[in-house]
Amino acid sequence: MTELILRLQQGDTETTVTVNQDEFTIGRLPECDLYLPFGGVSRKHALLRKKANSAWAIEDLGSKNGTQVNQSFITTTRDLQHGDIIWLGNVSLVVLLVNPAMQVETQYEEVADGAEQRTILRNVEQLQQQWIAANSHDNDISNKNKSIARLKDLVDIAKNLCAAASIEEIFWQVQQVVFRYLDSIDRLALLIDVNGCNHLELVNAGTRHASEQKYLAADGSWISRSICQKVFEEKVAIQTADTHTDERFAGEHSILVKGIRSAMAVPLWDENKVVGVLYADAHLSSYHWANDGEEELSFFSALANLVASSVQRWLLVEKLKTEEVIRHRLERYHSPAVVQQLISVGGLPDGRLQTTESEITILFADLVGFTALSERLTPKAIAQLLNNLFEEMLQEIFAYGGTLDKYIGDCIMAFFGAPEPLLDHANRATAAAKGMLTRLQRLNANGFWQEPLQLRIAINSGKAVVGDVGSSQRVDYTALGATINLAARMEAVCPPGECVISEATYKMLSDPFDFHEMGDHRFKGIDRLVKVYQTKMS
């Protein structure tokens, strides 16, 4: 027994309705079997009736805007076939017959012998240049003229694509040509592997009739992903005139539910790399493809080759833009060498440096007597002092591969060992501290400020959580955990102009002889004694 299913698409929402009674009313009244409270639908719009032979028919119930089947208004009862599209005002219903053997045989009896030709699958390289010349055995002048016109259009579109600055412009150019020459196509989509991770993303789509564009689901749920993935992975071109009678698609439930009857997809490939897929489909079967399919598929493939070059260029431009944004952001935290390394390996998944547990060495450097300085200086002079001092000190941190966490008033917080792991992070941190103190001595000798300046530096090593932390409006790349808290507390016991390190850092040093034991100390919030080492930088 044949079961009738209606697939309703309204905006981005698709709904399937099973008709489980012999008479089924559709309209805007709540008591209708299918309630459609949409503009253009009459109170009682249409009636579906099951016939004696288990077939289904539809009749209009005197609606204001009429009922269409496959865009033709019905004036009498009309039998329904699998894949028909019913239009009630601006609402479309795709007819799905779960067991449509009778309808398929009746409707397509004239092409039953050529069923194996309804799907064409070709390696794209085999299709090159086929669309340019008419069939060598075909002396039809109109076909030759059509080929010449297509060639001229592709030359024109190649010029236009070179000037296209956005993916929207690229797609618009393609859409004009496709809908001009491929009459059987209803919808067109451009899918691109944007991030180079073998995942196709829908970047643009369009319909032949502008009025239908608003019903095109933005998430691409109407697209046959199985067809697109095969095209993308195997670099083949596919054209199927009837998915429902081709055993290769018999198991694809999505194709049945989405009402896809004919489809065509070709890879966007430039040399040996596939960057995306150009996809087109229609709700109705395209049986003229049994004769003209090879030519149309060749044309579609040639067009895709032109598009591929433009998409490659667009992807490169987008990558450069992204890298520039990443570079500007990372340069606030890392040395140029680390920035370049992060960019080369894709250091910002999802736009953020993800939080990870890392073994690091943390460094705090505080300006001695800053509170007293602030009392004597104007705000402008304070800002000038800190800007100049931070600029000098950061050079030492970056020279040893350190990462700037943040400035806290007059304090510099930096760490070594993330985002790129460094086995010698403790050595690097102490070397940077010595460099900072030595540089400040030299600056003082050259009259860097109106009076000599001194730093206190505290260093600790251990595990910490490192990554982007914050809200959607603002994030900071930072290190968190007990290791950081201890280093911050240790500044309190550091003499001016010196550096103190924890026992954890001391044990990691390859040459610890510059440091001597300062003793055990207890710090606020830390429930244990901490052995501290110090060195005087003179």
Side-chain angles (χ1 to χ4, degrees):
M1 181 178 293
T2 302
E3 183 180 34
L4 173 62
I5 298 175
L6 300 176
R7 183 177 62 83
L8 165 67
Q9 180 169 308
Q10 183 69 18
D12 292 342
T13 303
E14 287 188 353
T15 307
T16 56
V17 178
T18 300
V19 179
N20 50 16
Q21 55 199 68
D22 292 347
E23 289 195 351
F24 189 87
T25 57
I26 306 173
R28 194 156 43 86
L29 286 177
E31 55 262 33
C32 289
D33 299 308
L34 178 56
Y35 172 47
L36 298 177
F38 306 122
V41 179
S42 295
R43 292 158 62 85
K44 285 192 175 181
H45 199 115
L47 173 69
L48 296 173
R49 180 179 287 110
K50 191 173 186 179
K51 302 172 68 175
N53 60 357
S54 294
W56 288 88
I58 186 172
E59 65 178 275
D60 185 75
L61 297 178
S63 65
K64 180 178 179 181
N65 295 313
T67 301
Q68 299 180 64
V69 176
N70 302 333
Q71 298 187 344
S72 296
F73 285 100
I74 62 173
T75 55
T76 59
T77 300
R78 164 78 176 264
D79 287 348
L80 292 173
Q81 307 290 342
H82 186 63
D84 283 346
I85 303 178
I86 302 170
W87 286 92
L88 302 92
N90 293 324
V91 179
S92 66
L93 299 168
V94 180
V95 174
L96 304 175
L97 297 171
V98 174
N99 183 24
M102 182 182 302
Q103 285 79 358
V104 171
E105 182 179 355
T106 302
Q107 185 177 359
Y108 305 124
E109 184 178 356
E110 69 275 14
V111 294
D113 294 337
E116 69 278 5
Q117 299 179 10
R118 292 171 183 165
T119 296
I120 299 174
L121 191 147
R122 294 281 186 273
N123 183 291
V124 289
E125 296 180 40
Q126 297 174 352
L127 295 171
Q128 297 308 296
Q129 304 299 321
Q130 290 185 20
W131 58 272
I132 297 178
N135 188 298
S136 57
H137 302 292
D138 188 357
N139 295 319
D140 192 328
I141 298 299
S142 64
N143 285 344
K144 292 182 178 179
N145 289 339
K146 182 169 67 174
S147 295
I148 293 172
R150 287 183 174 182
L151 175 59
K152 180 179 182 301
D153 265 349
L154 287 186
V155 171
D156 289 341
I157 196 176
K159 295 177 182 178
N160 294 332
L161 286 173
C162 288
S166 67
I167 200 67
E168 289 77 19
E169 291 181 52
I170 292 172
F171 184 77
W172 187 86
Q173 297 287 345
V174 175
Q175 186 174 250
Q176 303 308 303
V177 176
V178 169
F179 288 142
R180 184 184 308 154
Y181 284 113
L182 304 181
D183 296 334
S184 54
I185 294 302
D186 293 331
R187 306 179 295 195
L188 180 69
L190 179 61
L191 300 96
I192 298 177
D193 180 18
V194 176
N195 297 316
C197 56
N198 296 325
H199 174 69
L200 291 172
E201 297 180 26
L202 176 63
V203 296
N204 220 321
T207 59
R208 176 176 297 278
H209 303 290
S211 60
E212 298 175 9
Q213 184 75 27
K214 59 184 177 181
Y215 301 119
L216 204 60
D219 61 359
S221 56
W222 50 276
I223 296 170
S224 171
R225 291 285 175 171
S226 57
I227 290 177
C228 289
Q229 203 61 36
K230 183 177 182 65
V231 167
F232 179 73
E233 293 174 355
E234 301 180 21
K235 204 173 82 171
V236 294
I238 293 178
Q239 180 192 75
T240 176
D242 191 347
T243 58
H244 299 169
T245 59
D246 191 309
E247 62 181 11
R248 278 170 286 200
F249 305 109
E252 296 292 344
H253 176 71
S254 62
I255 289 178
L256 176 67
V257 173
K258 294 172 185 177
I260 300 171
R261 289 302 295 265
S262 57
M264 183 160 54
V266 293
L268 304 177
W269 67 289
D270 190 9
E271 297 180 353
N272 295 319
K273 184 178 182 181
V274 179
V275 296
V277 170
L278 191 61
Y279 171 88
D281 70 13
H283 289 308
L284 300 179
S285 302
S286 297
Y287 279 95
H288 75 282
W289 279 351
N291 298 317
D292 302 329
E294 191 89 29
E295 180 185 352
E296 294 198 353
L297 187 60
S298 298
F299 173 73
F300 203 52
S301 182
L303 178 61
N305 287 344
L306 296 178
V307 176
S309 298
S310 296
V311 169
Q312 281 275 47
R313 188 176 66 253
W314 174 76
L315 287 171
L316 178 59
V317 170
E318 292 300 305
K319 180 181 179 182
L320 292 174
K321 288 179 181 177
T322 301
E323 287 186 359
E324 190 64 21
V325 171
I326 293 173
R327 183 181 300 277
H328 283 316
R329 176 153 175 249
L330 293 181
E331 282 175 347
R332 296 169 51 200
Y333 309 114
H334 311 294
S335 66
V338 174
V339 170
Q340 186 56 45
Q341 187 173 8
L342 283 173
I343 290 175
S344 67
V345 299
L348 282 182
D350 300 325
R352 292 192 177 196
L353 283 163
Q354 295 181 337
T355 54
T356 58
E357 187 176 76
S358 304
E359 188 77 28
I360 68 168
T361 295
I362 188 79
L363 177 152
F364 282 91
D366 231 335
L367 184 60
V368 176
F370 179 71
T371 302
L373 276 173
S374 300
E375 291 294 325
R376 302 196 306 268
L377 300 176
T378 64
K380 184 176 180 180
I382 294 172
Q384 182 182 356
L385 167 61
L386 293 179
N387 285 338
N388 294 340
L389 180 65
F390 290 161
E391 185 70 29
E392 294 287 341
M393 297 302 104
L394 203 58
Q395 292 185 46
E396 296 293 335
I397 293 171
F398 283 174
Y400 291 95
T403 295
L404 173 66
D405 188 308
K406 62 175 68 72
Y407 301 116
I408 310 171
D410 62 311
C411 176
I412 299 173
M413 176 180 171
F415 52 84
F416 300 76
E420 292 300 307
L422 298 169
L423 295 177
D424 59 343
H425 52 83
N427 287 327
R428 289 171 179 264
T430 54
K434 293 174 184 178
M436 293 167 72
L437 294 173
T438 300
R439 180 182 284 255
L440 186 55
Q441 287 178 352
R442 187 171 63 251
L443 291 171
N444 286 332
N446 294 330
F448 174 74
W449 192 249
Q450 50 192 291
E451 58 186 271
L453 300 175
Q454 289 182 304
L455 291 176
R456 287 190 179 94
I457 301 178
I459 295 174
N460 183 32
S461 302
K463 291 188 180 296
V465 174
V466 183
D468 276 339
V469 177
S471 66
S472 58
Q473 285 76 34
R474 175 177 173 174
V475 295
D476 284 319
Y477 184 67
T478 189
L480 302 170
T483 300
I484 288 79
N485 297 338
L486 175 56
R489 299 286 189 225
M490 286 169 54
E491 273 194 308
V493 301
C494 181
E498 295 190 27
C499 171
V500 296
I501 64 174
S502 68
E503 185 177 19
T505 302
Y506 182 83
K507 289 180 177 180
M508 297 179 69
L509 295 179
S510 58
D511 186 13
F513 303 108
D514 287 338
F515 293 87
H516 61 271
E517 187 176 333
M518 187 177 173
D520 293 333
H521 293 265
R522 189 175 296 279
F523 298 100
K524 182 180 179 181
I526 298 172
D527 191 22
R528 61 185 173 88
L529 288 174
V530 178
K531 191 179 296 295
V532 178
Y533 296 76
Q534 76 172 75
T535 184
K536 187 169 183 179
M537 314 298 293
S538 58

